[in-house]
Amino acid sequence: MHFDVAALYKAIPALFWGATVTLRVTVLSIVIGLLIGIVAGLARVWPNTFLRTVASAYIELVRGTPLLVQIFLVYFGLPALGLNLDPFVAGIIAMGVNSGAYVGEIVRGGIESIAQGQMEAALSLGMTWWQAMYYVILPQAFVRILPPLGNEFIALLKDSSLVSTIAIAELTRTGQIIITRTFKSFEIWSGVALFYFVMTYAISRVVKYSEKRLRYSE
Amino acid sequence: MSEWIIQVQNLHKYFGKHHVLKDINLNVAFGEVVAIIGASGSGKSTLLRCLNGLEPIQAGEIIVDGVAVNGKTTDLNRLRQSIGMIFQSFNLFPHMTVLENIVLAPQKVKKIPRKEAEAIALNLLGKVGLRDKAYSYPSQLSGGQKQRVAIARSLAMNPKVMMFDEPTSALDPETVNDVLDVMKELAREGMTMIVVTHEMGFAREVSNRVIYLDDGKIVEEGTPEEIFYHPKNPRTRSFLSKVINV
């Protein structure tokens, strides 16, 4: 077997640049996903039936269709409605909306894992549903939400390779481009994989660390 | 101002098709201590939960402190400030210290300044004998201590009536008395109390009135003397003979 280390070495600056694009896409998608997901998750446990139904429909629709199709729908589909989006913007919107559904389920699960008695005790003290959520339920739920949220971030980072299909020069796309020039498939894909791994491992460490810091004895 | 803090009229409660409370009529006067006794599943806890609006009711009327609990325009959050509720499972907030547990509602609901709320909290902790636990977390307390903190937390809202839902049922036997002592002290001070309990000794000793609930109905009510020594209804008699070892 021949592994052309020099070819990989030469590709590192370009791959590194690709990785920063991947990070940007991922971080922005996470932010959008978190915002949507927190709202969707709260709506799912809200006393109001209408909001619950809307949130459920959104979550079912998004989880029931492939992310790749969602990306195509936003990038190639929306222009039919007169909405021409830059690939980067289309990419983070599709990924953010997609992630929001999963985050929503994570948030709902976390909230529902907190014993019903906590809400009842807070309400009995005269707190509003919101106050009870904010001061009593969410701080406890957050500790339980963190690990699955970390998994979601990692999944999202890896799934961001799908936006390579709409010509965003992120890590995967950069790898492809280099290979069309150098034909060093094995070396470059190994390098791409390594870059992904370093980033996912970093996320997983950060999540582990915050988990430890936030843990209180229950 | 009526003399009644709580008025219940023709209350019916269903869980689905299951008729849990059947035509309950009950008035509680200010300063009264009412014990509600009965077998598990007789509807005692459900009745209590209806009184502060934790359970919706299907028919009848509940008026607490002059306000209809199930009225469409009722500000339930406001009404609940005057109804203290103690749960079997304490429901302390595990992510907060004892002191934070107590000051949370006064601070956020009543907008009492932190310093003042803390002074009130420490004072109440002293009253339940747990001043030294102010900075402990609930997980570091015994069951009896947790329940006493829960009582202090409720009292911090300065309620007009305190409701206890089997407050000692989840406790180790050796800590039951600490909680009962706090409750006795409250009763002595004139607090209006409704206590769902299996502690017949407490009901007999502390309450002014005992209500026996069976299968969702008030079967018999009267003074502790009447209920425990001269029960009229055969079902009351049969229940008491099972729970009191004379």
Side-chain angles (χ1 to χ4, degrees):
Chain A
M1 190 195 82
H2 177 68
F3 192 92
D4 190 344
V5 179
L8 175 55
Y9 185 75
K10 262 209 306 216
I12 282 177
L15 290 180
F16 182 82
W17 180 248
T20 65
V21 176
T22 287
L23 261 185
R24 259 191 295 162
V25 170
T26 306
V27 168
L28 289 170
S29 307
I30 284 175
V31 171
I32 297 173
L34 273 178
L35 290 177
I36 298 177
I38 290 168
V39 172
L42 282 170
R44 288 272 308 211
V45 296
W46 199 278
N48 182 317
T49 325
F50 174 72
L51 281 175
R52 266 207 318 261
T53 312
V54 172
S56 303
Y58 155 69
I59 288 169
E60 290 302 331
L61 274 176
V62 168
R63 291 199 312 176
T65 49
L67 175 56
L68 186 60
V69 173
Q70 292 164 10
I71 291 171
F72 287 166
L73 195 62
V74 173
Y75 184 60
F76 298 116
L78 286 187
L81 303 178
L83 205 59
N84 282 293
L85 295 171
D86 169 79
F88 188 81
V89 175
I92 60 168
I93 288 178
M95 294 222 324
V97 169
N98 177 277
S99 180
Y102 292 93
V103 172
E105 281 300 88
I106 291 169
V107 169
R108 180 186 66 87
I111 290 171
E112 285 180 348
S113 76
I114 304 302
Q116 183 64 27
Q118 292 285 309
M119 176 57 92
E120 291 182 351
L123 291 178
S124 295
L125 287 164
M127 287 186 223
T128 62
W129 188 87
W130 265 116
Q131 286 175 322
M133 246 321 142
Y134 186 78
Y135 294 111
V136 176
I137 307 297
L138 287 181
Q140 296 181 61
F142 186 66
V143 182
R144 299 188 189 179
I145 285 171
L146 213 51
L149 213 50
N151 289 340
E152 168 59 19
F153 294 164
I154 288 170
L156 196 62
L157 186 129
K158 292 186 295 181
D159 286 349
S160 73
S161 66
L162 289 173
V163 301
S164 63
T165 57
I166 55 170
I168 298 177
E170 42 65 77
L171 184 52
T172 300
R173 180 92 184 120
T174 306
Q176 280 174 335
I177 292 168
I178 296 172
I179 291 164
T180 55
R181 266 192 288 113
T182 61
F183 303 107
K184 301 287 183 192
S185 281
F186 187 41
E187 292 79 355
I188 302 304
W189 286 130
S190 301
V192 167
L194 188 66
F195 267 100
Y196 274 115
F197 178 74
V198 168
M199 289 189 285
T200 56
Y201 190 70
I203 295 178
S204 125
R205 295 314 302 176
V206 169
V207 170
K208 276 252 162 55
Y209 176 75
S210 351
E211 249 176 84
K212 241 187 231 156
R213 295 229 20 204
L214 280 166
R215 190 153 298 285
Y216 55 89
S217 43
E218 287 188 34
Chain B
M1 190 92 182
S2 110
E3 61 179 310
W4 308 112
I5 173 86
I6 288 170
Q7 296 162 280
V8 180
Q9 262 173 24
N10 308 110
L11 162 64
H12 289 267
K13 164 78 189 168
Y14 295 82
F15 284 123
K17 280 189 180 159
H18 188 46
H19 201 171
V20 199
L21 293 174
K22 301 164 183 165
D23 198 29
I24 302 284
N25 288 282
L26 167 70
N27 288 344
V28 179
F30 280 98
E32 230 186 332
V33 177
V34 176
I36 303 177
I37 61 170
S40 306
S42 59
K44 314 184 292 291
S45 295
T46 307
L47 173 57
L48 212 57
R49 292 163 58 82
C50 287
L51 294 183
N52 81 341
L54 282 179
E55 295 285 353
I57 63 174
Q58 279 68 46
E61 189 167 44
I62 301 173
I63 295 175
V64 177
D65 198 24
V67 181
V69 172
N70 297 80
K72 279 208 164 62
T73 56
T74 300
D75 183 352
L76 206 48
N77 302 315
R78 190 173 180 82
L79 180 60
R80 282 175 177 145
Q81 293 176 36
S82 47
I83 310 172
M85 182 81 170
I86 300 300
F87 300 89
Q88 183 179 346
S89 51
F90 330 122
N91 295 340
L92 293 182
F93 308 138
H95 58 304
M96 297 179 180
T97 63
V98 164
L99 191 67
E100 287 166 345
N101 261 276
I102 302 174
V103 300
L104 180 67
Q107 249 195 302
K108 303 302 176 191
V109 178
K110 284 193 162 176
K111 313 289 177 202
I112 294 174
R114 173 90 192 188
K115 275 253 153 60
E116 205 179 313
E118 280 187 7
I120 295 170
L122 288 170
N123 189 21
L124 287 168
L125 277 175
K127 185 174 161 142
V128 300
L130 292 171
R131 203 176 174 125
D132 56 325
K133 298 291 184 191
Y135 301 98
S136 302
Y137 280 87
S139 59
Q140 298 164 306
L141 305 181
S142 73
Q145 291 172 330
K146 283 182 194 166
Q147 197 59 295
R148 282 184 282 157
V149 170
I151 293 172
R153 182 174 70 175
S154 273
L155 290 175
M157 289 301 281
N158 203 10
K160 293 183 179 164
V161 53
M162 286 284 284
M163 307 207 282
F164 298 81
D165 186 6
E166 301 192 21
T168 56
S169 298
L171 300 181
D172 295 328
E174 69 270 22
T175 67
V176 167
N177 279 329
D178 296 336
V179 174
L180 292 181
D181 286 345
V182 168
M183 291 169 62
K184 282 177 198 166
E185 179 61 28
L186 268 180
R188 235 190 324 271
E189 289 170 4
M191 175 63 79
T192 311
M193 294 164 62
I194 305 177
V195 186
V196 167
T197 187
H198 291 296
E199 295 286 335
M200 295 304 148
F202 177 84
R204 190 160 46 191
E205 194 184 331
V206 183
S207 67
N208 313 113
R209 185 148 53 111
V210 179
I211 289 172
Y212 172 62
L213 213 60
D214 185 47
D215 192 27
K217 280 197 282 261
I218 295 181
V219 170
E220 189 165 358
E221 63 174 297
T223 63
E225 171 82 13
E226 287 166 350
I227 297 290
F228 288 109
Y229 299 109
H230 316 287
K232 295 191 191 81
N233 194 298
R235 276 145 81 191
T236 317
R237 247 174 276 158
S238 141
F239 171 74
L240 288 172
S241 71
K242 279 177 212 149
V243 294
I244 301 178
N245 322 304
V246 196

